[in-house]
Amino acid sequence: MKVLNVVGARPNFMKIAPIIEQMKKAADLDSILVHTGQHYSEGMSDVFFRELEIPVPDIHLGVGSGTHAEQTARIMVEFERVCANEKPDLVVVVGDVNSTMACAIVAAKLVIPVAHVEAGLRSFDRAMPEEINRVVTDALASLLFTTSRDADENLEHEGIDASKIFFVGNVMIDTLLKHRRKAVALQIQKPNHYALVTLHRPSNVDDPNVLGQILEALEEISKSIPVLFPIHPRTAKSIRDFALPINGIRTMDPLGYLEFLNLEASATVVLTDSGGLQEETTILGVPCLTLRNNTERPVTITHGTNTIVGHSRSISPHFEWRLETFRSSRILGRSRR
Ligand code: UD1
Ligand code: UDP
């Protein structure tokens, strides 16, 4: 059986790593890794292949950045050629990025079965490009692998036959658990207590007013606790283009997986709009304030450490509450000892 596994952007790499690892062990399976090139900077792509020991992609489409239509179209054109040459029996796509949807559409039109890993997540917010990618990919997939029961329900509500849905768990968390010890053991200079921030959702970073207000809120927070902020290239570009001031915040380039996991695991609080971080902080037991109005990962709220705080103006009060909880737990911890 020949399987084409597709990756394109940062959050895909942690998800594909354990899948490829298992596929390589199966003697009767010819597994081919295709990188669309949606993300291409060293710190957004190459570093993850090294650290997570993902084999060098067999095929690289080199599509790069562009508008949604440009990027999706380029991936589709290139991936159609790959499918024609390779004639796979199955295409595996992960997550919800443009590469995920583009390759699912191509495969489905060539009547090649598609397996979607991380199926069924829904924010019910079609202003998010990822929500459109999720809905389209799930509508086309023959095998839908889910990470939570709410995802199964979402798929069934959309009329997807239950026989196609498999509740299998979370491959991104498999990667976290595999690398956690190594990451935590890294010697990294960092404050004892700090807030860790990541931001890249268009709704937060593409509008100068919204991004400006978030940066102001982070500056305010930095007066209480150091704020560490590895900046996603989309956000870095916006900050440059809008000439927004950054005060009090310790900014840095995007980090490799192990270094980032080290900071995430011992953060006092994480402030983020990332999908993956909501799940990772839940597993790590680190409080997470999600700077969005909704989440496609409700289990991180009902079972985890996540709180939806919305945008700029509501950040500070939630942060103060989190910090107070943290301080009282430390005082309580000391008095118990
Ligand atoms: C993409 C995904 C998003 C995911 C995020 C993870 C879509 C629609 N969006 O958003 O779901 O959460 O990745 O990080 O698929 N850039 C670089 N170097 C790179 C990649 C991008 O400099 O390696 C810059 C370019 O200026 C580019 C911008 O970042 O235009 C945005 O990249 P793009 O892949 O279009 O979207 P992301 O915001 O990264
Ligand atoms: N991550 C990383 N370095 C960073 C920021 C994030 O390695 O500087 C990891 C993070 O631990 C998680 C993944 O990137 O495993 C999440 O990707 P991202 O936030 O870009 O995408 P999303 O999950 O929002 O789709």
Side-chain angles (χ1 to χ4, degrees), residues 100-228:
T100 312
M101 181 190 71
C103 294
I105 295 174
V106 168
K109 291 220 168 177
L110 294 172
V111 203
I112 302 165
V114 174
H116 184 204
V117 176
E118 201 183 87
L121 298 182
R122 295 288 181 271
S123 65
F124 303 101
D125 175 1
R126 295 253 172 126
M128 283 185 82
E130 295 78 9
E131 182 73 357
I132 295 171
N133 294 342
R134 291 188 278 259
V135 169
V136 172
T137 305
D138 287 340
L140 299 175
S142 305
L143 294 168
L144 299 105
F145 296 116
T146 62
T147 52
S148 54
R149 290 292 183 200
D150 56 277
D152 296 10
E153 284 166 22
N154 293 334
L155 294 172
E156 282 170 32
H157 284 151
E158 288 172 20
I160 292 171
D161 198 286
S163 65
K164 294 180 177 177
I165 305 168
F166 300 88
F167 172 55
V168 293
N170 192 317
V171 282
M172 188 192 64
I173 298 303
D174 291 341
T175 293
L176 183 151
L177 296 176
K178 179 175 176 188
H179 294 275
R180 182 181 188 170
R181 189 181 299 200
K182 191 174 178 188
V184 169
L186 287 182
Q187 296 297 317
I188 292 177
Q189 280 221 326
K190 59 190 178 204
N192 285 338
H193 308 294
Y194 54 89
L196 179 64
V197 178
T198 80
L199 280 179
H200 66 271
R201 295 261 97 83
S203 55
N204 279 335
V205 307
D206 285 5
D207 178 320
N209 292 323
V210 177
L211 182 55
Q213 284 174 24
I214 294 177
L215 293 175
E216 279 170 26
L218 295 178
E219 181 182 347
E220 205 47 44
I221 289 171
S222 74
K223 293 174 187 161
S224 308
I225 190 169
V227 174
L228 312 190

Side-chain angles (χ1 to χ4, degrees), residues 10-11 14 48 96 172 198 200-201 230 232 254-257 260 264 274-277 280:
R10 178 166 71 183
M14 314 63 200
F48 301 105
D96 55 15
M172 188 192 64
T198 80
H200 66 271
R201 295 261 97 83
H232 187 283
L255 298 173
Y257 185 75
F260 187 81
E264 191 183 0
S274 159
L277 259 74
E280 290 179 344

Side-chain angles (χ1 to χ4, degrees), residues 54-67:
I54 307 169
V56 174
D58 301 287
I59 299 168
H60 203 297
L61 307 183
V63 299
S65 303
T67 65

Side-chain angles (χ1 to χ4, degrees), residues 13 38 94-95 163 171 200 213 228 241 260 272 306 314 317 327:
F13 307 130
Q38 176 172 348
V94 297
S163 65
V171 282
H200 66 271
Q213 284 174 24
L228 312 190
D241 290 353
F260 187 81
T272 192
N306 190 18
S314 21
R327 284 187 182 127

